[in-house]
Amino acid sequence: MKDKMLKQMQSVTEAQYLQEHARIKPILDVEAAIRGKLAQLDRQVKDARDQANGDLTMKSVGADLLWQGWHDRTRRQLNIELAQATAKKLMAMDRLRKSFGRKHAVQTMAVEAAAQKKADKAQHLYAQLMKL
C-alpha cells in the first residue's frame, strides 16, 4: 500500500475516532447528571425520614404519604432516564470501540509499512555494497 494512501487512511480513521469520542461526551454528562439527581434524592429522603420521625403533624395531615408518593414517582422516573442514558452510552461505546479498532489497525499497518520500507532500503543498500 502506498504511503500517501496510508496517511490518508490514518487521517480519516483518526477523525472518525475523534468524532465518536465527541459524541459520547454529552451522553456521559447526562448519565452523570441523572446519577447526581438520584444521589440528591437519596439525601432528601434521608433528611425527610429524620425530620418525619419527630414531627407528628406531618403524619397527622398525611404529608408523609404524599412525600413518599412523590419520592417513588421521582425515583422511578430518574431510574427510567438512567436506563435510557445507559443504553445510549453502551451503543456509543460500541461505536467508539469499533472506531478505535479501525484507527489502531490502520496505525499498525502504517508502522509496519514504514518498517518494511526501511528494511527494504537497508537490504538494497547492503546489496549495493556487496557489488563493490
Side-chain angles (χ1 to χ4, degrees), residues 58-101:
M58 282 184 65
K59 290 182 182 181
S60 66
V61 296
D64 59 333
L65 295 176
L66 290 174
W67 165 257
Q68 188 62 38
W70 175 85
H71 162 256
D72 290 341
R73 286 188 306 278
T74 303
R75 181 173 298 284
R76 188 177 311 115
Q77 183 60 38
L78 287 173
N79 281 329
I80 288 169
E81 291 174 18
L82 182 60
Q84 291 169 344
T86 302
K88 285 180 185 177
K89 179 181 83 168
L90 291 175
M91 289 187 296
M93 290 294 286
D94 188 43
R95 290 191 307 267
L96 183 66
R97 274 191 289 277
K98 286 179 184 176
S99 181
F100 176 78

Side-chain angles (χ1 to χ4, degrees), residues 21 23-34 85 89 93:
H21 194 273
R23 282 184 188 160
I24 202 167
K25 173 97 172 74
I27 296 169
L28 294 174
D29 291 343
V30 167
E31 182 188 25
I34 295 169
K89 179 181 83 168
M93 290 294 286

Side-chain angles (χ1 to χ4, degrees), residues 1-131:
M1 201 175 271
K2 295 184 179 182
D3 289 340
K4 184 177 179 182
M5 184 182 244
L6 272 174
K7 287 188 189 297
Q8 288 175 342
M9 286 176 60
Q10 275 185 300
S11 297
V12 168
T13 56
E14 177 72 22
Q16 287 174 334
Y17 171 74
L18 291 175
Q19 185 179 27
E20 290 299 331
H21 194 273
R23 282 184 188 160
I24 202 167
K25 173 97 172 74
I27 296 169
L28 294 174
D29 291 343
V30 167
E31 182 188 25
I34 295 169
R35 289 187 188 280
K37 287 178 185 178
L38 280 167
Q40 180 183 8
L41 185 63
D42 287 338
R43 287 189 303 273
Q44 288 175 339
V45 168
K46 182 185 177 299
D47 292 344
R49 277 194 195 124
D50 293 343
Q51 185 181 18
N53 286 337
D55 194 358
L56 295 178
T57 57
M58 282 184 65
K59 290 182 182 181
S60 66
V61 296
D64 59 333
L65 295 176
L66 290 174
W67 165 257
Q68 188 62 38
W70 175 85
H71 162 256
D72 290 341
R73 286 188 306 278
T74 303
R75 181 173 298 284
R76 188 177 311 115
Q77 183 60 38
L78 287 173
N79 281 329
I80 288 169
E81 291 174 18
L82 182 60
Q84 291 169 344
T86 302
K88 285 180 185 177
K89 179 181 83 168
L90 291 175
M91 289 187 296
M93 290 294 286
D94 188 43
R95 290 191 307 267
L96 183 66
R97 274 191 289 277
K98 286 179 184 176
S99 181
F100 176 78
R102 286 186 199 109
K103 174 182 155 292
H104 183 68
V106 170
Q107 194 174 27
T108 302
M109 287 170 42
V111 168
E112 289 174 358
Q116 183 63 45
K117 187 176 178 180
K118 187 176 178 180
D120 290 347
K121 186 175 181 179
Q123 186 177 17
H124 177 71
L125 289 174
Y126 180 75
Q128 283 183 340
L129 280 174
M130 296 312 279
K131 288 182 183 178

